[in-house]
Amino acid sequence: MKTHLSAGAAETTITSIKDNPDVYAEIYARVLVLSDNNIQLAIVTVDFGQFPLQYNQVLLDAIEQKTNIPTEHIIINCSHTHNAPGVDGRWISEESEVWLATCLAELVKRAVGSLEPATLCVGRAPVQIGYNRRLMRENGHITMAPNPEGAIVPWVDVLGVYDSFGGIIAVLFSHAAHPVIVHWSSEEIGADFPGYAVEHLRNFIDLKTESVLLFAQGCAANINGYPLRGGFEACDVAGFSLAFATQHALKTAETIPAAPLKAQSVMMNLPFQDPPSVAECEQLIEEHPDDNRYVALLEVAKSDEKRTLPFPMRAFAIGNTFCILSVSHELFAEYQLFVDDISPFKHTFMFGYTNGSEVYIATKKDYELGLKGGYEAGPRNHALGGPYRLALRPSVEAQIREEITDLLGNLNS
């Protein structure tokens, strides 16, 4: 029996949850729902810093309750803009948490209600709007500075979704770079370069009034949008470059053959390194009496508990041609380059910051630097607004690579 795909999309502003009265650009939540008349898959993108794992589950449950789409068929990707709540210890009120859960659930319901026959096309184009941000100094320490030789993901992945008349239902585009070009050059709320890219893309392509343009963040843990704190004009230039590349990818995109939708999820537990001794923690508290993280670290040391990090992964596929692999937390770009190299699918997108994000996940060589490992890989890597977290063990890279390989292989079978 021939498979027929359908799609629906919707968007809404979420700027009303801001903690700051000043706004340089509206922030949005957007959703694309795909259906093969058997299962539905929901891709939600949000102009937000990141969602802790526990709160992300609240959002998933709210969407499932409203739409009957199983949580295993939903991904929520944060753009990781640093001019919105979710980073640097900024969060939203309990009232706003409830409001946002309701908002996203209603948004997905709207997209489901707009489902119509669709053709999907996939493309890729080269683009670079950022640099690797981990530079090794002569003393062997990693510092945060542009590293032209470091790993990046130098492309934009694009999914075009078209109705029966060739009109655009949605465009999903993904690139890997921290949205920090406006960061701290202004404290106003906004989406950084992804927001500028959406606005430029609206001028580059023919859209219907209801067309939705969704940006999904890739594995950007060690990539900063350039220039860091460059301000609004620099952010506009970066957004223009990304939109131009997205337009090019759409022009050269190839049609994805209609095929059954598939979804598969895996929950891993990644081990943290052992904490310092109780005596070492007490010494750190004495040296840093105003840093409550060391008090939390002392409790970890006293408990002697072997702690692990929940690490959910989820993959969606259309037949054996197209796949979206989503991972939680902030992964280094090397993981996305690995997936692009080993994926059995002809076209594979990879999203980070999806279905919860709390810590950086570095590579083996970076963790092995220990105290020299810098902001992302050193032992001061900790969760959003949470207690002190140790760095993960160097072995997690091999663990993640093996699980990704198995997940994609099983999905492709």
Side-chain angles (χ1 to χ4, degrees):
M1 183 176 178
K2 187 176 180 180
T3 300
H4 297 278
L5 298 178
S6 57
E11 67 179 3
T12 186
T13 61
I14 57 168
T15 320
S16 59
I17 64 171
K18 64 186 181 296
D19 296 323
N20 188 318
D22 298 319
V23 176
Y24 72 80
E26 298 285 348
I27 57 175
Y28 283 82
R30 299 178 169 101
V31 60
L32 169 64
V33 173
L34 303 177
S35 174
D36 63 1
N37 296 322
N38 182 31
I39 68 171
Q40 296 175 344
L41 305 176
I43 301 164
V44 182
T45 65
V46 188
D47 293 327
F48 214 84
Q50 58 195 31
F51 295 137
L53 292 168
Q54 184 174 1
Y55 179 60
N56 194 88
Q57 189 61 49
V58 171
L59 299 176
L60 292 172
D61 290 341
I63 294 170
E64 180 182 37
Q65 184 175 6
K66 178 65 68 171
T67 65
N68 291 321
I69 300 176
T71 58
E72 294 80 7
H73 293 174
I74 306 166
I75 58 175
I76 303 174
N77 175 272
C78 287
S79 71
H80 202 53
T81 173
H82 279 45
N83 283 82
V87 291
D88 299 329
R90 292 170 290 170
W91 191 238
I92 56 178
S93 66
E94 290 184 11
E95 181 181 2
S96 292
E97 287 183 356
V98 174
W99 177 86
L100 184 57
T102 302
C103 176
L104 295 188
E106 293 286 352
L107 187 66
V108 177
K109 182 180 178 181
R110 278 175 48 199
V112 171
S114 69
L115 284 168
E116 60 181 309
T119 299
L120 279 64
C121 298
V122 61
R124 175 178 287 185
V127 68
Q128 179 183 352
I129 64 166
Y131 282 92
N132 187 287
R133 70 185 199 180
R134 290 174 55 81
L135 183 67
M136 180 172 285
R137 298 298 188 186
E138 291 183 359
N139 61 5
H141 285 262
I142 296 292
T143 188
M144 189 179 291
N147 176 10
E149 305 301 321
I152 59 169
V153 181
W155 62 73
V156 58
D157 282 319
V158 180
L159 180 69
V161 185
Y162 300 88
D163 64 23
S164 301
F165 303 97
I168 292 177
I169 298 173
V171 175
L172 172 65
F173 64 108
S174 179
H175 183 63
H178 260 70
V180 290
I181 300 178
V182 174
H183 182 45
W184 292 138
S185 68
S186 171
E187 295 185 8
E188 295 176 291
I189 294 293
D192 208 271
F193 74 79
Y196 280 93
V198 166
E199 293 308 310
H200 283 299
L201 191 57
R202 290 190 181 280
N203 296 323
F204 287 162
I205 60 178
D206 293 327
L207 296 172
K208 303 185 296 182
T209 303
E210 62 273 23
S211 299
V212 177
L213 307 178
L214 308 88
F215 171 82
Q217 184 61 261
C219 295
N222 53 348
I223 306 173
N224 270 348
Y226 184 84
L228 175 65
R229 305 184 185 96
F232 296 116
E233 290 187 8
C235 198
D236 186 43
V237 171
F240 182 92
S241 297
L242 183 56
F244 187 82
T246 300
Q247 176 200 34
H248 178 69
L250 279 174
K251 288 182 176 180
T252 57
E254 63 180 66
T255 301
I256 301 172
L261 301 178
K262 298 184 286 186
Q264 197 161 74
S265 299
V266 171
M267 173 62 80
M268 301 174 64
N269 289 293
L270 305 178
F272 286 104
Q273 296 178 22
D274 293 332
S277 67
V278 171
E280 289 172 319
C281 291
E282 291 173 340
Q283 180 64 34
L284 287 169
I285 292 173
E286 184 177 337
E287 295 173 358
H288 306 277
D290 297 326
D291 196 332
N292 291 329
R293 291 176 300 176
Y294 291 117
V295 176
L297 181 62
L298 175 60
E299 295 304 312
V300 174
K302 286 180 176 179
S303 72
D304 198 31
E305 179 184 347
K306 301 297 183 182
R307 301 196 174 196
T308 59
L309 175 72
F311 180 62
M313 297 194 299
R314 190 159 294 164
F316 296 163
I318 302 176
N320 296 327
T321 301
F322 173 74
C323 174
I324 294 174
L325 171 66
S326 67
V327 295
S328 58
H329 306 298
E330 297 194 60
L331 268 68
F332 275 27
E334 285 87 342
Y335 289 97
Q336 189 164 350
L337 298 175
F338 166 75
V339 166
D340 193 66
D341 184 52
I342 63 92
S343 175
F345 292 87
K346 185 177 182 181
H347 305 281
T348 303
F349 294 4
M350 186 172 183
F351 302 162
Y353 308 89
T354 304
N355 286 350
S357 178
E358 296 181 354
V359 303
Y360 291 101
I361 297 182
T363 62
K364 180 176 183 289
K365 66 179 179 63
D366 293 288
Y367 284 130
E368 288 178 340
L369 292 172
L371 293 174
K372 298 180 179 180
Y375 177 69
E376 303 90 354
R380 294 189 64 158
N381 176 12
H382 60 283
L384 162 69
Y388 192 104
R389 279 196 189 270
L390 298 160
L392 294 165
R393 293 184 183 274
S395 60
V396 300
E397 179 180 3
Q399 186 181 351
I400 292 170
R401 286 185 173 219
E402 181 179 1
E403 199 67 55
I404 285 176
T405 302
D406 290 345
L407 175 61
L408 294 179
N410 292 336
L411 193 64
N412 191 55
S413 61

